[in-house]
Amino acid sequence: MIHFKYIIVALVAAFSLMLAGCRHSGVAMQELSLIDSMVYHQQEKEAWTLLQQMNTQQMSKEERAYHAVLLSMAMYKNYIPCTSDSAINEAVGYYKKSGDDLKYLKALIAQGCVHEDMGELEQAVESYHQAEALPLTTDSSMMAYAKLRLATLYQSQVVGTNTVALQKFKEALPIFQALGDKHFELVCLTSIGGIYRNIDEKHDSAVVYMKEAIKLAQEQGDQYHAFANRYLLSEHYLVREHNYLLSKEYGLQAVSADPAVIDHPRAHYRLAESYLSLGQPDSATYYLKRAPQPANARDSIAYYEFMSELEHRYWKNEEKSKNYLQAAHAIADSMTINGLNHRLLEVEKEYDVQLAELNQVKNQSRLRGSLLL
């Protein structure tokens, strides 16, 4: 059987010819329907090319709405920033009245992605919640994707990591498993394990999820998620269980990954700290020097934490150790304050999600603690 993606690639040239020819009723919808399959089946680059070639001025209102949905998703999946939401908003309005629940669902998800790109997070939350409020029978795959987008949005904001994000990842996971979607199953397993490791009573569950994710990543040949979960386990055994040998074991597995998939230096920092805890400062220094450069605030926190430990344990310089730790705390505090997006929480409350934890001031210290592992 010829693989689906090869059929798609083979039809790209034919589509280009069709686009150049004369149009007649229904041709644009036929083209858009097949491009739809490309957008949602990892052929977003080819889809983007075809959508760019289409002349929306010659389209009907229905065709323009469909085009806007597919174009918005193709841009999002190709990491092309969207600077206007007018077309997708018009498409959502059209499909809301059309009675086509599937296209309305896709339109709402695309609208959420556009709002995320534009930094309009409250509107993105609204769009994703409206999407998941539709019947699951509309399209279980798209419904699970809406939950995944909502979970990822909250996880990226620091605040809500232990509530909304976890809830939505857990809702999406069984749907992806039932569909046999191994990629998104792996995304959910990794995220749930990562969240659980910051909850005291869920440490054992975190290990189970992370090990399951590693097994699935190996089966799927997914090097990135194998690296990510090995790093998370290394950090777990170092910080939570003080099992430095296991931390070192998983840390070595993580940093041995293809450099192309290692997107942060924290695995190297934790491995170096494991060696330091085992009384091997030379090995700790070796892996510290091999670490990629810090690229964001989380990387800087991990670096300053390690340097604090190095000054304390090896160089015995308590003043420098204290300064490094203060630097880590300052960055963590800044992330916590900036992550407390109260407007986002107000939107969430409208959907009757339990947010008691987030409504307590003491939660700020818990959020900070999740950064200072």
Side-chain angles (χ1 to χ4, degrees), residues 48 63 66 72-73 93 97-98 128 133 167 173 209 266 331 350:
W48 164 250
E63 291 166 346
Y66 200 5
S72 298
M73 285 307 303
K97 298 176 182 178
S98 72
Y128 293 140
Q167 175 187 336
L173 176 59
Y209 275 94
R266 298 190 296 278
I331 298 172
E350 296 176 9

Side-chain angles (χ1 to χ4, degrees), residues 185-187 189-190 206-234 237 249-251 253-254:
E185 177 185 353
L186 186 50
V187 171
L189 288 172
T190 301
V207 172
V208 171
Y209 275 94
M210 289 185 282
K211 288 184 176 180
E212 186 176 349
I214 291 173
K215 180 181 177 182
L216 182 57
Q218 290 174 317
E219 292 173 355
Q220 297 298 308
D222 189 323
Q223 295 186 59
Y224 174 74
H225 282 96
F227 157 74
N229 283 280
R230 284 166 175 155
Y231 153 66
L232 292 174
L233 274 171
S234 174
Y237 284 118
E249 177 184 334
Y250 281 105
Q253 292 176 18

Side-chain angles (χ1 to χ4, degrees), residues 61-70 72 85-98 100 103-108 110-111:
K61 188 173 183 179
E62 180 184 9
E63 291 166 346
R64 284 198 303 273
Y66 200 5
H67 183 275
V69 172
L70 298 179
S72 298
D85 61 0
S86 57
I88 190 60
N89 288 346
E90 184 177 336
V92 168
Y94 175 84
Y95 285 121
K96 185 176 182 178
K97 298 176 182 178
S98 72
D100 189 332
K103 287 192 175 69
Y104 182 42
L105 172 60
K106 290 181 176 181
L108 285 168
Q111 184 184 52

Side-chain angles (χ1 to χ4, degrees), residues 55-328:
N55 184 357
T56 58
Q57 296 300 316
Q58 299 178 4
M59 293 182 178
S60 66
K61 188 173 183 179
E62 180 184 9
E63 291 166 346
R64 284 198 303 273
Y66 200 5
H67 183 275
V69 172
L70 298 179
L71 184 65
S72 298
M73 285 307 303
M75 291 179 68
Y76 185 79
K77 292 191 172 191
N78 281 297
Y79 304 98
I80 300 171
C82 188
T83 57
S84 172
D85 61 0
S86 57
I88 190 60
N89 288 346
E90 184 177 336
V92 168
Y94 175 84
Y95 285 121
K96 185 176 182 178
K97 298 176 182 178
S98 72
D100 189 332
D101 282 349
L102 177 55
K103 287 192 175 69
Y104 182 42
L105 172 60
K106 290 181 176 181
L108 285 168
I109 293 172
Q111 184 184 52
C113 292
V114 169
H115 285 315
E116 279 195 67
D117 266 354
M118 296 178 66
E120 299 169 345
L121 302 185
E122 299 95 325
Q123 292 93 322
V125 168
E126 290 274 10
S127 296
Y128 293 140
H129 271 307
Q130 289 176 37
E132 67 168 1
L134 293 171
L136 181 62
T137 52
T138 303
D139 187 298
S140 57
S141 177
M142 294 304 301
M143 193 68 68
Y145 187 70
K147 294 178 183 295
L148 183 70
R149 291 298 332 136
L150 188 58
T152 303
L153 187 156
Y154 270 99
Q155 190 177 36
S156 70
Q157 293 303 299
V158 180
V159 66
T161 296
N162 293 332
T163 52
V164 184
L166 179 60
Q167 175 187 336
K168 295 305 172 183
F169 279 127
K170 292 183 73 174
E171 289 176 4
L173 176 59
I175 302 175
F176 287 129
Q177 289 174 327
L179 291 167
D181 191 324
K182 300 298 183 182
H183 171 71
F184 283 129
E185 177 185 353
L186 186 50
V187 171
C188 291
L189 288 172
T190 301
S191 298
I192 293 170
I195 293 172
Y196 272 160
R197 71 198 176 102
N198 293 323
I199 304 175
D200 292 341
E201 61 273 18
K202 291 292 186 178
H203 289 173
D204 291 343
S205 296
V207 172
V208 171
Y209 275 94
M210 289 185 282
K211 288 184 176 180
E212 186 176 349
I214 291 173
K215 180 181 177 182
L216 182 57
Q218 290 174 317
E219 292 173 355
Q220 297 298 308
D222 189 323
Q223 295 186 59
Y224 174 74
H225 282 96
F227 157 74
N229 283 280
R230 284 166 175 155
Y231 153 66
L232 292 174
L233 274 171
S234 174
E235 187 170 73
H236 169 80
Y237 284 118
L238 173 71
V239 177
R240 301 300 184 189
E241 298 193 16
H242 306 296
N243 188 329
Y244 307 125
L245 286 173
L246 273 179
S247 178
K248 183 189 76 170
E249 177 184 334
Y250 281 105
L252 286 170
Q253 292 176 18
V255 302
S256 66
D258 185 336
V261 304
I262 300 178
D263 62 348
H264 62 74
R266 298 190 296 278
H268 287 76
Y269 297 159
R270 295 313 190 191
L271 177 57
E273 192 170 345
S274 296
Y275 273 114
L276 191 64
S277 299
L278 291 168
Q280 301 177 44
D282 291 342
S283 295
T285 302
Y286 172 79
Y287 283 103
L288 178 64
K289 290 180 178 178
R290 289 173 63 89
Q293 289 297 312
N296 55 44
R298 289 181 183 273
D299 294 347
S300 297
I301 290 172
Y303 173 77
Y304 288 132
E305 283 185 327
F306 172 75
M307 292 304 297
S308 177
E309 286 295 305
L310 184 64
E311 292 292 345
H312 170 67
R313 294 188 186 184
Y314 186 64
W315 296 113
K316 307 299 182 183
N317 189 325
E318 296 303 324
E319 182 177 355
K320 282 190 175 181
S321 175
K322 180 180 178 181
N323 290 339
Y324 279 125
L325 193 59
Q326 287 177 340

Side-chain angles (χ1 to χ4, degrees), residues 121 150-166 195 198 297-298 301 331-341 344-345 357-358 363-372:
L121 302 185
L150 188 58
T152 303
L153 187 156
Y154 270 99
Q155 190 177 36
S156 70
Q157 293 303 299
V158 180
V159 66
T161 296
N162 293 332
T163 52
V164 184
L166 179 60
I195 293 172
N198 293 323
R298 289 181 183 273
I301 290 172
I331 298 172
D333 287 342
S334 175
M335 290 181 68
T336 301
I337 293 169
N338 293 332
L340 290 173
N341 192 329
L344 208 60
L345 296 180
E357 173 188 16
L358 297 179
N363 187 58
Q364 294 190 30
S365 62
R366 186 172 187 179
L367 291 170
R368 177 188 180 192
S370 71
L371 298 171
L372 291 167

